Amino acid sequence: MTRPLFNELRGHLEAFLVGQPHLIQELLVALLAGGHVIIEGVPGTGKTLLVKLLAQSIQSQFRRVQLTPDMLPSDMVGVNVFDFNQQAFSLKQGPVFTEILLADEINRTPPKTQSALLEAMEEQQVTLDGHTYALPPLFWVVATQNPLEFEGTYPLPEAQLDRFLFKLVVDYPPPAAAKQMLVNFQQGFHAQRQDLEQLTAIATVEEILASRRSVEDIAVDEKLLDYLLALVEKTRYHPDILIGASPRASLRWLQAAKADAWLNGQEYLLPDNLKTVAPPLLRHRLILRPEAQLDGIGIDEVITAILEQTPVPR
């Protein structure tokens, strides 16, 4: 997939989900980097709509599962069912057998079901009754959660959060964008109808996979590797942070920064690329000390301070 075509895809999404350009950019970086995403925001801010639009725009297989407290792991990955006609077991596939999976309100389902996603997300495969089933090459999970409700929810453990490349935070759209949403609605665009199926596809799954391979060609100077390691070390010894970034986080950080560079039309990595992807990549991986939380210090505030205090290589 060429870079101009990716820009066309971005413009296509922005035409329907107005007022969220940063969210769209970060989601495309994650798709290009092959990293799963968790989106946090209050209901009605377009989280589900954005993923549906993206899946339709690249002609991909798409499944949406509404997670609930009574869901079992088998509801997620599938189950082997005995076929009396064939006198053999056959796999009834769960929703993970797709290219783009939208896991709505992931914090509403119990830990057993949440953990059923772990192998699929990390290994791109599912193991049932001793048999391993490969998932599609594109397999990409986008999970959503509501930050305002805590009763009856199951917060994701740190081990599972680390499987997500980005945590994106959706805010309310500005007034101008909110008005444009009303105009679009008045002109007949209703996301809950068949409108999405009628949208013209911009790209194909094969082009997305080819673009991921192109990201590997982004040149990285050794000084930038040292800069990245310095940033990671800062997260581990910052006075407001209890637990810093893991080695896995540093690898994902580099991959996401290269994807950001590719999207910007660069042939090599710049420090700004590492800085740009830092907030969505770190905000769910760093754990603040209780004293910092009591003082009202936010995680994004700490990330910004780390980026400002770390010398940039010349």
Side-chain angles (χ1 to χ4, degrees):
M1 185 178 187
T2 63
R3 287 162 174 158
L5 194 55
F6 229 104
N7 291 332
E8 185 180 353
L9 176 60
R10 177 167 44 207
H12 185 71
L13 296 175
E14 290 178 353
F16 291 97
L17 192 70
V18 294
Q20 303 286 1
H22 296 296
L23 176 66
I24 292 172
Q25 173 70 11
E26 291 170 341
L27 195 65
L28 290 178
V29 169
L31 174 63
L32 188 57
H36 308 293
V37 176
I38 186 165
I39 305 179
E40 185 175 276
V42 296
T45 49
K47 302 184 295 295
T48 301
L49 172 61
L50 175 58
V51 182
K52 284 183 176 180
L53 284 169
L54 182 55
Q56 183 67 23
S57 298
I58 61 176
Q59 298 179 326
S60 64
Q61 298 173 3
F62 171 76
R63 287 191 183 183
R64 174 180 179 266
V65 55
Q66 184 69 46
L67 297 168
T68 56
D70 59 348
M71 282 195 72
L72 300 173
S74 58
D75 296 325
M76 181 68 68
V77 299
V79 63
N80 283 314
V81 179
F82 189 76
D83 187 333
F84 287 95
N85 293 326
Q86 301 292 330
Q87 289 295 299
F89 284 94
S90 61
L91 174 63
K92 182 181 179 182
Q93 296 182 347
V96 295
F97 287 90
T98 187
E99 291 176 327
I100 296 182
L101 173 66
L102 175 61
D104 250 335
E105 297 190 277
I106 193 172
N107 57 333
R108 283 197 173 277
T109 201
K112 262 190 177 180
T113 307
Q114 292 174 358
S115 64
L117 275 174
L118 284 179
E119 182 187 10
M121 291 171 60
E122 190 68 16
E123 305 294 338
Q124 207 164 328
Q125 65 182 26
V126 169
T127 302
L128 286 172
D129 299 333
H131 296 281
T132 299
Y133 304 90
L135 297 174
L138 181 69
F139 180 66
W140 189 49
V141 176
V142 180
T144 70
Q145 66 178 12
N146 183 345
L148 301 180
E149 297 180 2
F150 300 99
E151 187 174 348
T153 61
Y154 305 86
L156 292 171
E158 286 74 15
Q160 186 163 346
L161 282 173
D162 199 46
R163 260 63 174 191
F164 289 95
L165 175 71
F166 282 170
K167 178 181 178 181
L168 308 182
V169 178
V170 187
D171 204 352
Y172 292 114
K179 182 177 180 180
Q180 186 60 47
M181 290 169 55
L182 295 175
V183 172
N184 291 347
F185 182 85
Q186 184 66 14
Q187 292 176 349
F189 178 76
H190 305 293
Q192 70 272 27
R193 298 182 184 175
Q194 303 303 315
D195 301 49
L196 299 183
E197 297 179 2
Q198 300 172 7
L199 295 179
T200 303
I202 301 298
T204 64
V205 170
E206 290 72 23
E207 288 173 319
I208 297 295
L209 295 175
S211 298
R212 286 183 178 179
R213 292 190 291 270
S214 298
V215 171
E216 301 303 323
D217 296 330
I218 296 293
V220 182
D221 190 277
E222 188 174 349
K223 290 182 179 179
L224 286 179
L225 295 180
D226 294 334
Y227 177 57
L228 173 56
L229 291 174
L231 290 170
V232 171
E233 285 295 308
K234 281 276 188 181
T235 68
R236 295 171 182 171
Y237 299 104
H238 193 279
D240 293 326
I241 295 178
L242 182 63
I243 298 179
S246 67
R248 178 194 287 140
S250 62
L251 298 175
R252 299 290 186 267
W253 197 340
L254 178 60
Q255 183 68 11
K258 290 170 66 175
D260 184 69
W262 189 91
L263 279 176
N264 290 330
Q266 301 164 209
E267 301 297 333
Y268 48 85
L269 193 69
L270 295 173
D272 284 347
N273 302 123
L274 291 166
K275 290 182 177 182
T276 298
V277 302
L281 184 130
L282 293 175
R283 64 167 59 107
H284 59 297
R285 290 184 164 96
L286 306 184
I287 299 180
L288 290 175
R289 293 186 180 278
E291 313 89 81
Q293 297 181 37
L294 290 174
D295 290 340
I297 297 174
I299 191 64
D300 282 12
E301 181 183 343
V302 175
I303 295 171
T304 300
I306 290 173
L307 295 175
E308 291 176 348
Q309 295 167 5
T310 307
V312 177
R314 297 186 179 275

